[in-house]
Amino acid sequence: MFTTSDIFHIGSKKEFEKLTLKVFRYQYDNNLVYRNFCELLKKDKTNVKSLTEIPFLPIQFFKSHEVLSTADPIQITFTSSGTTGMVTSRHLVSDLNFYEESFRLAFSQFYGNIEDYVVLALLPSYLEREGSSLIYMAKDLIERSNQPDSGFYLHNYDELTLKLTELDASGQNVLLIGVTYALLDLIEMQNFQLKNTIIMETGGMKGKRKEIIREELHEILCKGFGVSEIHSEYGMTELLSQAYSLGDGIFECPPWMEILIRDTEDALSYVSEGKTGGINVIDLANVNSCSFIATQDLGKKYPNHSFEVLGRFDNSDIRGCNLMVI
């Protein structure tokens, strides 16, 4: 078994690699779904010696299987959003301490003390359903900010506009976390000139608007909010960690998370830095589910371990992973 101290006190690349291989062996032994998947690929504890040899479980398995590496009771089930009738992902979490430590420490690494911010959350599509890991995180950040003005906003845009304008004018540091379509709705109602506010988009039009490329989106949001850059959070139901972009769409991971870019033609091989491919995520906070996830996102990795998200695969089935369905 692993503790939060094991996961969140990684001091070097060598430590990360050593712990990652240890987690792989643990999950191979304790996660039946993952072991079956590894065996299909003829991978086991004896022939996986490096990070690039580790099998990455296609993210769709969270829709069809219970992905667990522990027999401990489930404390909470996080679910993905989806339209009516769509099969959604289910992330069974047996120890919330791993999630809370992950997002608290990552936020602190990228933004400092949460008490320095008023946190405003504009996340209507998430608030209107149960089981959102993003709402769980935002609620915790709001509470830990110890700021009476922090809070959630649903469709009360007029109230949010007034609050945001007043707080920013007073010199208060503000963090506005918003789902993309709601941020666009807000600036269509009101143009801002914000000087003390960070705008963080969490991605997703949720079927409310046509998808647009990141550069165009950020240009619109910068103009509408009167800011020089838009921050972004890269997270998902199936992960207990997040990467952050402080502008320009370039993301960085906390020390217990890493990105690998797989070849779109061959899911078991990798492309070099600067080339486009599918995003594989190592998330050691997922120690009780699966830490090795092949996402449906396309991206590029850069020399300093930063990465860019370019979009999603056109089809729900990732090319090269069809044989991997158990």
Side-chain angles (χ1 to χ4, degrees), residues 31-64:
N31 186 327
L32 181 60
V33 171
Y34 184 57
R35 183 165 72 249
N36 287 343
F37 171 72
C38 290
E39 288 172 349
L40 275 177
L41 300 177
K42 298 182 170 46
K43 295 284 189 178
D44 59 36
K45 292 188 297 182
T46 64
N47 60 18
V48 171
K49 306 289 188 184
S50 68
L51 302 194
T52 55
E53 292 173 323
I54 294 174
F56 282 75
L57 190 73
I59 201 166
Q60 303 98 305
F61 276 62
F62 282 83
K63 293 182 177 181
S64 56

Side-chain angles (χ1 to χ4, degrees), residues 120-139:
L120 307 177
L122 180 60
L123 302 165
S125 55
Y126 295 91
L127 272 176
E128 292 169 318
R129 67 177 182 83
E130 292 184 1
S132 166
S133 57
L134 179 59
I135 292 298
Y136 188 98
M137 179 177 79
K139 183 174 183 289

Side-chain angles (χ1 to χ4, degrees), residues 180-193:
T180 303
Y181 80 84
L183 292 174
L184 290 169
D185 288 347
L186 181 61
I187 59 173
E188 284 180 0
M189 295 179 59
Q190 174 75 42
N191 267 355
F192 298 86
Q193 288 297 321

Side-chain angles (χ1 to χ4, degrees), residues 150-212:
S150 292
F152 285 102
Y153 289 81
L154 190 55
H155 300 297
N156 42 341
Y157 289 170
D158 290 338
E159 185 183 342
L160 174 57
T161 297
L162 184 62
K163 178 70 71 178
L164 190 54
T165 305
E166 288 179 350
L167 287 168
D168 189 85
S170 74
Q172 170 66 53
N173 292 326
V174 179
L175 173 64
L176 174 60
I177 305 174
V179 63
T180 303
Y181 80 84
L183 292 174
L184 290 169
D185 288 347
L186 181 61
I187 59 173
E188 284 180 0
M189 295 179 59
Q190 174 75 42
N191 267 355
F192 298 86
Q193 288 297 321
L194 301 174
K195 293 181 170 33
N196 300 293
T197 299
I198 293 170
I199 308 297
M200 182 188 293
E201 55 98 1
T202 65
M205 293 299 188
K206 305 301 177 187
K208 306 281 187 181
R209 286 172 175 259
K210 182 182 175 183
E211 296 285 346
I212 57 177

Side-chain angles (χ1 to χ4, degrees), residues 186-248:
L186 181 61
I187 59 173
E188 284 180 0
M189 295 179 59
Q190 174 75 42
N191 267 355
F192 298 86
Q193 288 297 321
L194 301 174
K195 293 181 170 33
N196 300 293
T197 299
I198 293 170
I199 308 297
M200 182 188 293
E201 55 98 1
T202 65
M205 293 299 188
K206 305 301 177 187
K208 306 281 187 181
R209 286 172 175 259
K210 182 182 175 183
E211 296 285 346
I212 57 177
I213 62 171
R214 179 193 58 78
E215 289 86 355
E216 183 183 353
L217 168 66
H218 283 201
E219 185 179 343
I220 294 168
L221 291 175
C222 281
K223 184 177 179 183
F225 285 108
V227 296
S228 58
E229 70 262 323
I230 300 298
H231 293 217
S232 304
E233 179 250 8
Y234 181 72
M236 57 194 73
T237 301
E238 300 85 356
L239 302 177
L240 294 185
S241 297
Q242 304 79 32
Y244 288 100
S245 167
L246 307 189
D248 299 324

Side-chain angles (χ1 to χ4, degrees), residues 76-110:
I76 194 169
T77 300
F78 290 132
T79 57
S80 62
S81 55
T83 56
T84 303
M86 181 184 291
V87 178
T88 57
S89 290
R90 296 169 68 247
H91 192 167
L92 307 176
V93 180
S94 61
D95 189 346
L96 273 166
N97 289 321
F98 282 95
Y99 185 43
E100 292 172 350
E101 283 280 296
S102 179
F103 69 68
R104 289 172 182 171
L105 287 171
F107 184 91
S108 176
Q109 175 184 328
F110 289 100

